[in-house]
Amino acid sequence: MRTRAIISALLGQILFASVYSVYATTIPNKQKLLESFVERQVLYDDTVSLDSVILWSEQLLPSMRSKSDKEMYFLLQLQLANAYTLRGDVSLATDRAQLMYEEAKALKYSFGMVVANQAIGDAYNTIANLTSKALESYHDALNELQHISATHPYRTQLLLKTSNILQRRGRLEEAQKVLSELEIILQQEPDYPTEFFFNIEKTNFAISHGHLAKSYLDEAFVHLQKMDSIYHVHPEKFYRFHLDYTTAAYYRAMGTWDKQYWNKALDIYTQLQKEYSGNKRSTYYRWTSLEKIYLCKIQGMAMEACYIYQELYPPIDTLASQNYIRQISAVKAKYQIDKIAIASNEEYNKIISSILIGSIILLILFSLLAIRLRKQQIRVAQSTQDLAISRTNAENATRAKSIFLSNMSHEIRTPLNALSGFSSLLTQEGLDMETRNQCNEVIQQNSELLLKLINDVIDLSSLEFGKLQFCIGKHDAVSICQNVMDTVNKVKQTQAELLFSTELEEMIIETDDSRLQQVLINLLINATKFTPQGSITLELKIDTDGVALFSVTDTGCGIPHDKQATIFQRFEKLNENAQGSGLGLSICQLIIEHIGGKIWIDPDYTGGSRFCFTHPVNQANRKGAEV
């Protein structure tokens, strides 16, 4: 517990410093920094972290929607989507790509469609075996850009991504043509960010031929030196990772000719893995881990490769990955449907033009086409209605996220302020031991409060997305209630008497005993907060429907009727000044509904408050552990 308290205190200080640094920068300065990132083709630097970029972008983008610089608005949205992807939040990146596409379509803004297609391709690019779909999205973006201008400066970034995918798919001749086109563009219009990433692609192209002749690796080394020269002139932290990663790839290829280079590559991958281990869902950590697995396998270190792979791909990642694929495919399908609709409309216009100059026979065809048009209009009207519903849902989701962040920042601020203030007080000289002990107690209490809040948020998120594990087995409900009563009696901060009432000696039910205890403890602890005197009674009995009925009754202040309907909502608290996240009852409701029961507050009880919930005795069609 002492170690946990120290860690929580340190995390609190770090979070406080991070929040302070983010809000210390003014809105205009944030926008200028983010726009400079777009120009330098980086997602972060030494002064601004990836999380800050995401937070700033989410703050700035709503206010930029109505401004005239639509190109920068969409580029900043792409930057936000790529930042989500790099951090490992592929679902958020996909949501952002969908919003970009819908906004670009509503505005009839072609460059917005280009950037939206790139965002879709980038999302596909993060998932194994979907590089063909990523390539298709990049080709769609290039085709859209062709309608704007055949020499648009943004073409270089799309060509770089196309070259990378072609090389990964082994289509080296096509990749060579793309690289040749890029080389001509760079000769005419030099640009150091594009040149840096161009040399990465040239290095990878030479490495892909390295097994044929060592001279190809000599060519790769030349391009590495060019990258290093650019980095020394423009020492971007974002560039450093790509330089080290590409250097390790070169050493790995050199190992074909001299195996000692494999150790050099392994050292770089290990260092990069360690540097980015703070977020093991990040793209950088996964890239380096996969390369390290490959090197371990070819060097005969099979067990170490297995350990890395198990850490990199837990079972839940497979489910999440399938969900990401469905999300991205839905966005892509919408784009393809719109392309078909546009093509259909163009074809229809041509037919109408022919009919106007045709004969009586063509007039008959016109009648048939009119019927077809009517059907199309019905489908378009339905599609428009569906799009409006989707847009409303997206706006509601965005608003819900904003409310969630606002509530979280409000709840976290209190324990963080206490941790920061009392930690600073402990550093002062001349404090007596009693004062220090009081400070330590306050720090411990607020650390536990902050940890409880974070655990509640994790539980709530896991329950919503089906990630929380439930281990269903046969347990004695009477024994569970007795254990809960013993636990709450030890930690209660009230003079009220805790009672357990039941006529049953034993009641075997199929449940997850730890989750059932969590619900009971939450309800009893809530009761102790509002019942300083009197009694709190936990009752267990068999309902008339053959299900277990639990109830927690107190003689406290009760809950007003106008608040009873919202008491199970998130962050809903009867007393806003009381400690707690306001998530406890929401979590209880999700757990009980998952197990197959129902929870409610008794509106007819007036002697305080009474919470009741049902629990099925037998879990139909449930085996073992459920995710």
Side-chain angles (χ1 to χ4, degrees), residues 478-497:
V478 176
S479 177
I480 290 174
C481 291
Q482 290 171 343
N483 291 338
V484 167
M485 294 298 292
D486 291 340
T487 301
V488 177
N489 263 315
K490 293 176 182 177
V491 299
K492 70 173 185 176
Q493 296 181 356
T494 176
Q495 295 182 6
E497 184 180 6

Side-chain angles (χ1 to χ4, degrees), residues 83-94:
Y84 281 142
T85 301
L86 181 57
R87 194 173 67 177
D89 297 327
V90 182
S91 181
L92 294 177
T94 306

